Amino acid sequence: MKVDQQKEGAIYAALSYMMWGVVPIYWKFLQGVGAIEILAQRVLWSFVFMLVLLMFMKKWQAFLDYVKNIMGNPKLFTALLTASLLVTANWGVFIWAVNSGRILDTSLGYYINPLVSVLLGVIVLKEKLSGAQIISFLLAGIGVLILGIHFGTIPWISLILAMTFGLYGLAKKMIKAESAIGLTLETMMVTPLALGYLIYLMNRSEMQFFTDGSTSLLLVGGGIATALPLLYFAKGAEKIPLSMLGIFQYIAPTLSLLIGVFVYHESFTKAHLLAFLFIWSALAVYTLSITKWGQASARRFKGKGNIGA
């Protein structure tokens, strides 16, 4: 039964990361719409979709109970507001980057995101780095530096995506809400901002939502495209080990990289190749260090060191 559960969990996790990997194609269909309007529509329709989903999942009362809990807990409210603003910023930069022909930058951002999360754990939670993690940071740092030197600028899109998502994960640690309820709460917090912006556009007759039926359907569908992989991810995370989940997370940026290069023909230079090789090496070292085999090897190495001393 446990093996069957792990297989089911692996399928859900792989599906979620595959969806995240191909989502640039979805946003490309909306290139004629401004990035901020796409973001506002994404927030609004994600919230609407999640409200309907909570009713079907019979989690409406749990959602209302959590809302009451937030209202009476300023610390929790602040954490939720922070998480909401961070994920919204992440979505906005991602949409803008995709529709500006910068899919490779988004791919790099999500490759380095796990390392940024570890770094935030060290800075904020006072966690200690292992030798393998230090090597990973050095390798990833060299990769980012190569791109910076080659293009004469820091890859800020990649770093913003990695930092906002890493900080979002940190804020989520304080919220501790079930994934469906958590996403509903996060979109609820920023929906007033989204609505305000859409009303502003409508008053200026600049809103693209009503231009044609296909655009409207795609904007509404953005809510489903946002929520569905998150729900699949939650299902997968419940049933498979964290180490397996850590390996699956590289599916999304790999697919995005391939889509950027082979579907939208973004320039992939020798500098990109060299930088990505360093970052892939960093991720290989990091991923190995969090597996049971890697942890057992580290303990054996320490044991030998103690004997020699």
Side-chain angles (χ1 to χ4, degrees), residues 116-192:
V116 168
S117 296
V118 172
L119 184 62
L120 289 171
V122 172
I123 295 169
V124 180
L125 304 177
K126 309 301 179 187
E127 295 173 354
K128 290 185 178 180
L129 284 176
S130 67
Q133 288 170 336
I134 292 171
I135 293 169
S136 297
F137 279 115
L138 290 173
L139 289 170
I142 292 168
V144 172
L145 194 62
I146 287 168
L147 288 178
I149 292 169
H150 180 78
F151 292 105
T153 181
I154 295 170
W156 61 271
I157 294 172
S158 308
L159 293 176
I160 288 174
L161 287 173
M163 286 298 297
T164 51
F165 205 75
L167 288 166
Y168 168 68
L170 200 61
K172 290 275 282 184
K173 280 182 176 290
M174 295 180 64
I175 300 167
K176 295 177 182 175
E178 190 270 333
S179 60
I181 292 173
L183 181 60
T184 311
L185 290 166
E186 289 156 20
T187 49
M188 178 185 75
M189 295 292 279
V190 287
T191 289

Side-chain angles (χ1 to χ4, degrees), residues 68-128:
K68 288 177 186 175
N69 188 25
I70 290 166
M71 293 302 123
N73 189 330
K75 190 176 179 181
L76 192 59
F77 179 87
T78 303
L80 178 62
L81 180 61
T82 302
S84 304
L85 292 172
L86 284 166
V87 77
T88 302
N90 184 274
W91 290 353
V93 172
F94 183 85
I95 291 166
W96 177 85
V98 166
N99 287 346
S100 300
R102 308 287 290 272
I103 295 175
L104 292 187
D105 287 338
T106 69
S107 173
L108 175 63
Y110 290 115
Y111 271 129
I112 63 177
N113 175 65
L115 301 176
V116 168
S117 296
V118 172
L119 184 62
L120 289 171
V122 172
I123 295 169
V124 180
L125 304 177
K126 309 301 179 187
E127 295 173 354
K128 290 185 178 180

Side-chain angles (χ1 to χ4, degrees), residues 7 61-62 106 109 133 139 155 162 191 213 217 264 291:
K7 282 182 180 177
Q61 190 56 50
T106 69
Q133 288 170 336
L139 289 170
T191 289
L217 284 173
Y264 297 109
T291 62

Side-chain angles (χ1 to χ4, degrees), residues 8-77:
E8 186 183 348
I11 290 168
Y12 276 122
L15 275 173
S16 69
Y17 283 115
M18 286 169 71
M19 287 178 179
W20 277 320
V22 300
V23 80
I25 296 172
Y26 191 92
W27 302 125
K28 280 283 190 182
F29 282 122
L30 287 162
Q31 263 187 311
V33 183
I36 301 178
E37 182 179 349
I38 296 173
L39 175 62
Q41 298 280 5
R42 183 181 186 180
V43 168
L44 173 63
W45 295 111
S46 294
F47 178 53
V48 171
F49 177 72
M50 290 309 301
L51 286 178
V52 174
L53 198 64
L54 286 180
M55 292 179 190
F56 276 105
M57 295 170 74
K58 298 181 180 178
K59 292 183 179 180
W60 185 248
Q61 190 56 50
F63 169 70
L64 292 177
D65 291 341
Y66 207 97
V67 170
K68 288 177 186 175
N69 188 25
I70 290 166
M71 293 302 123
N73 189 330
K75 190 176 179 181
L76 192 59
F77 179 87

Side-chain angles (χ1 to χ4, degrees), residues 157-235:
I157 294 172
S158 308
L159 293 176
I160 288 174
L161 287 173
M163 286 298 297
T164 51
F165 205 75
L167 288 166
Y168 168 68
L170 200 61
K172 290 275 282 184
K173 280 182 176 290
M174 295 180 64
I175 300 167
K176 295 177 182 175
E178 190 270 333
S179 60
I181 292 173
L183 181 60
T184 311
L185 290 166
E186 289 156 20
T187 49
M188 178 185 75
M189 295 292 279
V190 287
T191 289
L193 291 174
L195 275 173
Y197 182 73
L198 292 174
I199 290 168
Y200 165 78
L201 286 181
M202 193 160 50
N203 287 338
R204 292 170 61 91
S205 301
E206 293 177 2
M207 193 160 75
Q208 298 293 305
F209 184 76
F210 299 111
T211 53
D212 62 80
S214 59
T215 299
S216 300
L217 284 173
L218 283 168
L219 288 169
V220 172
I224 300 171
T226 298
L228 207 57
L230 280 168
L231 295 173
Y232 279 167
F233 172 80
K235 278 180 172 287

